[in-house]
Amino acid sequence: MTEPSNWRATRHLAGWMKSNGLVGLAGVDTRELTRHIRDGGAPKGALIHAPEDEIDTEALRFMATSWPGLEGMDLAQEVSCRQPYNWNETEWTLSHGFGRLQDPRFHVVALDFGAKRNILRCLAAAGCRVTVLPASATIDDIVAYDPDGVFLSNGPGDPAATGVYAVPTIRAVLEKKIPMFGICLGHQMLGLALGAKTFKMHLGHRGANHPVKDLETGKVEITSQNHGFVVDRDTLPANAARNPLVAVRRLAGRFEGHRRAGLLGPVSPRSLPGPAGRPLPVPAVHGDDGSGPARLEIAGLRTKPLVSRQER
């Protein structure tokens, strides 16, 4: 067992997992696993801990192979909050830990499709009082709070499945011209609301070392990614020519947000021509779980960039 690498750690990861009843897997050749996933796509698997019972490998194999996969699964309902709540905790600092928003300048309604707490902290740190609503919130629920902007959160599952009930609400927000932005699953459902379609990737993008280039400034950032669905560039509206994100920004130009990321989330590079036939680099925001390089712009407010990914 290796020693913890972070100076703030108080015990080994294995000890923490045991105390929380979590199962882990160690001793895996991760590079070989990466190659396997690259060639064969995202596999199905089952993980079990049975210290006193004999493991039935055939039953586990059946369990794994019979799992239907994420396509068509609305998982947002399982992880979303059940009741509205307020959020005012800000980002962690070395000297003070987590802070509290004292003088909010804006009020943002966040639709919770599986929102990460640190994303809510980023909003609070940017001066936003946040009201978090369940994924099933309606346009009437939203406008009742008279927000300065609406945030569509990250979350798991198939955006098309969650979009069955979320997309009509998103379209209603657009019609009311309320400033809106989304990341991850929220980004993709915003794309669906604008007429595009999504699909599941062969293997997805995961990891903490994906470079993303801002085509407006030329700046490259190293980012964390975790998504398995993308917006299909071929289904974008007809005026989405060379850079679909720019075109979509024009489509939804009546509200601010997504200065750099556009409105869609990850876009398939398969039909974006570049030098020597290579895909054109497109800044895109990841799908299942995370945040993108958008800057929140509400009534002139602009935050620092959040993380994103680069599809090559």
Side-chain angles (χ1 to χ4, degrees):
M1 181 182 297
T2 59
E3 291 298 319
S5 60
N6 191 294
W7 63 270
R8 290 176 292 178
T10 58
R11 54 179 164 168
H12 290 280
L13 176 61
W16 177 86
M17 294 181 68
K18 288 178 181 178
S19 65
N20 285 276
L22 299 175
V23 179
L25 185 64
V28 176
D29 185 342
T30 55
R31 296 313 305 165
E32 177 61 28
L33 180 60
T34 298
R35 288 189 290 268
H36 178 76
I37 294 174
R38 178 194 63 194
D39 298 335
K44 299 177 181 179
L47 182 62
I48 189 172
H49 176 58
E52 300 179 358
D53 300 321
E54 183 178 348
I55 296 177
D56 187 341
T57 56
E58 289 302 319
L60 287 176
R61 185 176 292 109
F62 175 79
M63 183 189 305
T65 56
S66 61
W67 183 62
L70 289 175
E71 290 184 90
M73 278 196 175
D74 171 28
L75 299 180
Q77 288 279 21
E78 298 184 19
V79 297
S80 178
C81 62
R82 300 301 179 215
Q83 298 293 332
Y85 66 93
N86 297 320
W87 184 274
N88 65 358
E89 186 176 77
T90 58
E91 295 173 287
W92 188 91
T93 64
L94 181 61
S95 56
H96 298 94
F98 294 116
R100 293 289 174 183
L101 176 64
Q102 299 298 326
D103 299 308
R105 294 179 290 163
F106 309 100
H107 181 202
V108 171
V109 163
L111 295 187
D112 177 17
F113 302 110
K116 291 182 177 180
R117 292 180 178 179
N118 208 50
I119 296 172
L120 301 179
R121 293 185 186 110
C122 288
L123 286 171
C128 299
R129 176 171 63 91
V130 182
T131 300
V132 184
L133 300 185
S136 58
T138 66
I139 185 62
D140 291 336
D141 296 329
I142 294 171
V143 298
Y145 289 93
D146 190 26
D148 297 301
V150 174
F151 165 60
L152 309 175
S153 87
N154 61 290
D158 187 339
T162 304
V164 170
Y165 56 86
V167 164
T169 299
I170 295 171
R171 286 175 176 161
V173 174
L174 289 172
E175 291 172 358
K176 290 186 176 294
K177 302 181 180 180
I178 302 174
M180 177 168 52
F181 73 112
I183 59 174
C184 179
L185 184 68
H187 241 287
Q188 294 172 339
M189 290 194 296
L190 190 50
L192 292 173
L194 292 170
K197 295 181 179 180
T198 57
F199 67 90
K200 190 176 185 303
M201 302 174 70
H202 177 61
L203 45 76
H205 290 92
R206 322 285 176 180
N209 61 347
H210 292 259
V212 57
K213 182 176 183 180
D214 184 336
L215 298 182
E216 294 181 4
T217 66
K219 182 180 179 180
V220 176
E221 300 174 5
I222 302 301
T223 68
S224 298
Q225 304 303 325
N226 184 20
H227 71 92
F229 288 85
V230 291
V231 173
D232 190 341
R233 191 261 191 188
D234 295 337
T235 64
L236 292 170
N239 65 341
R242 186 169 179 81
N243 190 334
L245 300 182
V246 173
V248 174
R249 279 200 294 269
R250 288 198 296 266
L251 282 176
R254 58 179 178 267
F255 61 93
E256 296 177 299
H258 307 296
R259 172 182 171 271
R260 293 194 296 152
L263 301 173
L264 282 184
V267 177
S268 168
R270 65 190 182 190
S271 58
L272 296 177
R278 294 191 299 273
L280 183 69
V282 177
V285 181
H286 47 134
D288 293 331
D289 192 30
S291 51
R295 293 178 182 269
L296 170 61
E297 294 180 348
I298 298 178
L301 171 67
R302 180 172 296 171
T303 72
K304 63 185 180 182
L306 303 178
V307 293
S308 176
R309 59 164 298 279
Q310 170 68 51
E311 292 202 47
R312 293 187 183 278

